[in-house]
Amino acid sequence: MSKENKAGRPCKIDKEIINEMKNYMVAGLTLKDACSLLEIDVSTWRRFEENNPDYKRKRLKWQSMLKAKAKMNIAKAITENDVGLSVYLMNYEMKKEEKKAKNALTRARAKAVRAQAKIAESQAKQLQALDNDSEQTVIIDDFTEKDDENEDQ
């Protein structure tokens, strides 16, 4: 754990709190929920992790342990010919692949739309440049001397 505080309050986190935190993290609780059960603020735990970076790495490892254990249990059951879990896993993997494909398609469509927008912007600039060239005002004096004389009268 961290060096002794020379001033201020002593650290609220001791070995017992750390062991409980590990149990809660391995059980799949969020940091917020675990801190609530331990009756400490999340900021207290985060400050502890800042002062003890090894515990941040350990907490992240603890949090991933439940998922890893679940995967091991599923794999073990499947190798023992559990057809139901095999079907579940295949459906899960198919949904993951489908989602991946949909995301790739969405990204490709977005890229195409951005390219079309760029082309449209370029064409608009070209049209504007043509309009600017043709907007030169030409004044044609259609009046003749007779028209000028009629106006004077």
Side-chain angles (χ1 to χ4, degrees), residues 6 15 19 25 28 33 42 44-45 58 67 73 75 80 85 88 95 97 104 108 114 117 120 132-133 139:
K6 294 182 180 177
K15 289 186 184 219
N19 287 332
M25 293 291 103
D33 290 340
V42 174
T44 301
W45 181 265
K58 286 180 181 181
K67 190 174 182 180
N73 288 339
E80 293 172 358
L85 273 178
Y88 164 79
K95 285 178 185 176
E97 288 298 317
R114 283 191 300 274
N132 287 342
D133 290 344
I139 300 175

Side-chain angles (χ1 to χ4, degrees), residues 5-94:
N5 291 337
K6 294 182 180 177
R9 292 183 291 162
C11 183
K12 196 173 185 179
I13 298 173
D14 57 14
K15 289 186 184 219
E16 185 179 332
I17 297 276
I18 293 169
N19 287 332
E20 286 298 311
M21 178 63 77
K22 178 181 179 180
N23 292 335
Y24 291 148
M25 293 291 103
V26 170
L29 271 65
T30 64
L31 180 61
K32 183 179 176 182
D33 290 340
C35 287
S36 177
L37 289 170
L38 292 169
E39 297 178 355
I40 60 172
D41 286 335
V42 174
S43 60
T44 301
W45 181 265
R46 293 222 188 268
R47 202 170 27 259
F48 173 75
E49 285 182 345
E50 284 176 19
N51 296 329
N52 303 277
D54 285 348
Y55 281 99
K56 182 172 184 174
R57 284 188 290 278
K58 286 180 181 181
R59 177 180 55 86
L60 295 173
K61 182 180 171 186
W62 298 334
Q63 285 177 307
S64 66
M65 288 176 77
L66 182 66
K67 190 174 182 180
K69 182 80 170 161
K71 286 181 178 180
M72 290 299 296
N73 288 339
I74 290 171
K76 182 179 177 189
I78 289 172
T79 57
E80 293 172 358
N81 295 323
D82 186 330
V83 176
L85 273 178
S86 297
V87 170
Y88 164 79
L89 183 62
M90 293 308 295
N91 285 335
Y92 176 79
E93 291 297 326
M94 282 180 14

Side-chain angles (χ1 to χ4, degrees), residues 92-103:
Y92 176 79
E93 291 297 326
M94 282 180 14
K95 285 178 185 176
K96 247 173 52 175
E97 288 298 317
E98 183 180 329
K99 185 176 181 180
K100 208 178 197 182
K102 284 181 181 179
N103 287 342

Side-chain angles (χ1 to χ4, degrees), residues 106-120:
T106 300
R107 282 191 299 276
R109 286 180 178 158
K111 187 176 181 180
V113 167
R114 283 191 300 274
Q116 290 172 345
K118 211 172 194 179
I119 290 169

